[in-house]
Amino acid sequence: MATKSNDTYEETKLVDGVYYHQHDVVIVGAGGAGMRAAIEAGPNARTAVISKLYPTRSHTGAAQGGMAAALANVEEDSWEWHTFDTVKGGDYLVDQDAAEILAKEAIDAVIDLENMGLPFNRTPDGKIDQRRFGGHTRDHGKAPVRRSCYAADRTGHMILQTLFQNCVKLGIEFYNEFYVLDLVMVDVKGKQVPAGVVAYELATGDLHVFQGKSIVFATGGFGKIYKTTSNAHTLTGDGVGIIWRKGIPLEDMEFFQFHPTGLAGLGILLTEGARGEGAILRNASGERFMERYAPTIKDLAPRDIVSRCMVQEVAEGRGAGPNKDYVLLDCTHLGAEVLETKLPDITEFARTYLGVDPVVEPVPVMPTAHYAMGGIPTNIKAEVLSDNDTVIPGLYAAGECACVSVHGSNRLGTNSLLDINVFGKRAGRYAVEYAKTAKFVPLPKDPAGPIRDMIESIRNASGTERVPALRKELQEEMDKNAQVFRTEDSLKSVTKTIEKLREEYKNISIHDKGKRYNTDLLEAVELGFLLDLAEVVVYSARNRKESRGGHMRDDFPNRDDKKYMKHTMAYLSGDAKSDDAGDHIKLDWKPVVITNYQPMERKY
């Protein structure tokens, strides 16, 4: 184990009602990316992990299907094929240097987890078993391949538990149920650098300032901008919203992935692993309709393609059910043994939430908002960028909140659990490397002041608007007009709704005026982040007048490589470069890194 820094640290102190802490590395978020970063950083630096949840309740635990790696335990495979699938699946907006790192380091990432004790499913000869997943192919797209390493349909749960156990073993210091609400940035020689973060302690209502040499954001996604989503209630984009409010850009925010198989009307996820095991999507007449759209890999086409096909089947009158508003996932031919042993969670979900038994009847499904491809721009070292290529010293991001961009415009299935392990590890490694030579950046006077003022203004507000009603209106409008299919008119409708909700948000009030466990207060804060991020998603989507990956414009149905083979960069301040952006948002572009694979038509 490496020796930690010999620096002296101030003990936790209370000054004017605010608690102050010092750590070399401060990690915000205790999901897969945050804890993988902590495992890398903890033995080498004094590390703190701050989480709004108890770590094992983080949303990584909801991931079901698997983690991609070209182990070739079941079939011939290679990291080059994995790289190609990642680039092609992302509709060529993937930065290919990042995709190569992801695919190359995938093998070690899986072995690391195995050595930490993760109970993967096994082949008869004891190797890690692998199964098919959407978009995973051999020989650069010629046929499906078994690449997904899995633990039944609870892979994310097993990863989360394994990482947490290893953090405990290493003595990582956790601050659980602390909501980070601000990043303290300080001007040093004309550059804005991070000095620490400000957190609200749920149990007491106290404010804490965590001073750190390196700050790592690993706060997950923001799927709660939508009503129908597989995301947990806690995924309100706090980390991404904090970064946005500090004037740091966000990248490719228009690209949001809609997972094909959410329970109809609920959005609860049924893993793609079901289709990997052989489940079939059917319309009302029982037709396996994906054969018409993707004749080579059918139901295992990338998620953006499958989602659009499902919506199209319903739109053209071939939907099932009384209202013809969903399609069916047919698992009946798989048999009870496969469903109960390899897919126990989805079997239980269908029975519990819809009263449908997948063993004997097909399950109603429709796309659900699942994963944000965009987020905080980083390079391959997980360093956060203040523009196209300028590094903010000491600031890192990994996982769904970050955009490296390894997923491009559409994430390949099972690359999310891989991403959090590969780039979570890199974030921890480079954060420590920076902290070894860096000094603590002096904090400004009263660094918690802006957050204290914001909290008190919400607590004492006497307006007439209610947070749940505003949130519901935002989510329903996003579902209706900014989901799988989008047009200029639909996106303008969302823009107007957000503008109205922003005004109404100024007139909110909350029932709970207390300090201890005031979730009423925190939901009001979270709504502010949701409004910010929904607005960036919509403006970015209006500005990209093409269809690519998770972004489908009905009014611009074709991919346009001449105009749009580039990343969207959204900035909070400055004059807008696009007529579609508000006066407080500037939209710009960033080139895509292309190494080996030139853009070509996606055929499956």
Side-chain angles (χ1 to χ4, degrees), residues 28-32 51-53 57-63 179 218-227 229-241 256 369-372 399-401 471 474-475 522-523 525-527 529-531 533-534:
V28 184
S51 175
K52 68 191 285 188
L53 299 165
R57 293 184 61 224
S58 298
H59 196 59
T60 299
Y179 279 59
T219 53
F222 46 91
K224 293 306 287 184
I225 62 173
Y226 291 97
K227 177 185 177 183
T229 177
S230 65
N231 285 196
H233 290 290
T234 54
L235 288 185
T236 50
D238 311 349
V240 183
F256 209 98
H370 183 55
Y371 189 90
E400 190 175 352
C401 73
R471 184 177 60 230
L474 170 68
Q475 292 170 338
L522 291 169
E523 284 185 4
V525 174
E526 290 169 342
L527 176 59
F529 290 129
L530 290 174
L531 286 168
L533 298 179

Side-chain angles (χ1 to χ4, degrees), residues 263 270 329-336 339-340 343-352 355-363:
L263 289 178
L270 300 187
L329 182 68
D330 184 3
C331 307
T332 56
H333 56 287
L334 299 182
L339 289 171
E340 300 290 358
L343 302 166
D345 272 4
I346 74 158
T347 304
E348 188 62 27
F349 291 162
R351 290 168 177 164
T352 300
V356 172
D357 187 351
V359 176
V360 296
E361 56 189 323
V363 183

Side-chain angles (χ1 to χ4, degrees), residues 258-497:
F258 298 90
H259 195 292
T261 52
L263 289 178
L266 299 173
I268 296 169
L269 191 68
L270 300 187
T271 176
E272 195 169 303
R275 284 173 285 137
E277 295 293 341
I280 296 169
L281 288 165
R282 301 187 186 277
N283 57 26
S285 64
E287 177 197 6
R288 186 180 189 178
F289 58 86
M290 283 307 301
E291 288 183 330
R292 284 189 273 113
Y293 299 101
T296 302
I297 55 177
K298 304 179 180 70
D299 303 271
L300 290 176
R303 292 171 177 176
D304 62 321
I305 293 175
V306 179
S307 292
R308 286 198 292 273
C309 294
M310 293 168 66
V311 172
Q312 187 171 334
E313 287 294 300
V314 169
E316 294 177 358
R318 293 185 290 275
N323 299 319
K324 297 185 177 181
D325 56 355
Y326 56 75
V327 298
L328 299 166
L329 182 68
D330 184 3
C331 307
T332 56
H333 56 287
L334 299 182
E337 184 178 354
V338 169
L339 289 171
E340 300 290 358
T341 58
K342 291 189 174 183
L343 302 166
D345 272 4
I346 74 158
T347 304
E348 188 62 27
F349 291 162
R351 290 168 177 164
T352 300
Y353 296 109
L354 291 184
V356 172
D357 187 351
V359 176
V360 296
E361 56 189 323
V363 183
V365 291
M366 274 301 277
T368 180
H370 183 55
Y371 189 90
M373 272 74 73
I376 305 165
T378 69
N379 60 20
I380 57 175
K381 292 183 177 180
E383 297 169 315
V384 175
L385 305 174
S386 62
D387 53 32
N388 287 7
D389 52 18
T390 304
V391 168
I392 300 175
L395 187 59
Y396 303 82
E400 190 175 352
C401 73
C403 182
V404 62
S405 154
V406 77
H407 305 306
S409 60
N410 175 56
R411 176 178 63 76
L412 199 67
T414 70
N415 270 359
S416 58
L417 291 179
L418 178 58
D419 177 12
I420 61 176
N421 280 282
V422 169
F423 288 100
K425 180 178 180 178
R426 281 179 161 250
R429 181 199 314 165
Y430 291 112
V432 167
E433 187 177 289
Y434 180 83
K436 282 181 178 178
T437 57
K439 300 296 182 183
F440 285 109
V441 176
L443 292 166
K445 183 180 179 181
D446 193 17
I451 295 304
R452 183 191 303 110
D453 293 344
M454 178 185 71
I455 288 172
E456 290 307 312
S457 68
I458 293 174
R459 193 196 314 275
N460 298 322
S462 57
T464 57
E465 301 291 345
R466 293 290 177 257
V467 169
L470 300 187
R471 184 177 60 230
K472 180 182 179 182
E473 186 175 352
L474 170 68
Q475 292 170 338
E476 289 180 345
E477 179 69 9
M478 289 293 289
D479 259 22
K480 181 180 177 183
N481 287 316
Q483 208 202 40
V484 175
F485 288 97
R486 303 162 173 180
T487 66
E488 180 67 14
D489 288 343
S490 75
L491 293 170
K492 279 184 177 178
S493 172
V494 184
T495 303
K496 290 179 181 177
T497 298

Side-chain angles (χ1 to χ4, degrees), residues 582-600:
D583 57 5
H584 58 292
I585 296 177
K586 180 182 80 173
L587 296 176
D588 209 339
W589 303 103
K590 174 183 175 182
V592 176
V593 178
I594 297 175
T595 56
N596 295 321
Y597 303 109
Q598 293 299 319
M600 53 187 250

Side-chain angles (χ1 to χ4, degrees), residues 489-559:
D489 288 343
S490 75
L491 293 170
K492 279 184 177 178
S493 172
V494 184
T495 303
K496 290 179 181 177
T497 298
I498 292 173
E499 289 173 355
K500 177 181 79 74
L501 291 173
R502 278 196 176 283
E503 288 302 310
E504 293 172 347
Y505 183 64
K506 296 175 184 177
N507 189 37
I508 62 170
S509 66
I510 58 174
H511 292 293
D512 189 350
K513 307 295 184 180
K515 287 191 172 184
R516 296 175 59 83
Y517 291 100
N518 191 340
T519 55
D520 205 12
L521 168 66
L522 291 169
E523 284 185 4
V525 174
E526 290 169 342
L527 176 59
F529 290 129
L530 290 174
L531 286 168
D532 284 351
L533 298 179
E535 185 175 47
V536 182
V537 168
V538 172
Y539 277 133
S540 299
R542 288 178 64 184
N543 195 49
R544 185 175 287 274
K545 295 176 171 60
E546 66 157 356
S547 292
R548 185 188 300 269
H551 171 68
M552 179 68 188
R553 289 283 298 260
D554 254 0
D555 44 357
F556 296 96
N558 299 318
R559 195 179 83 191

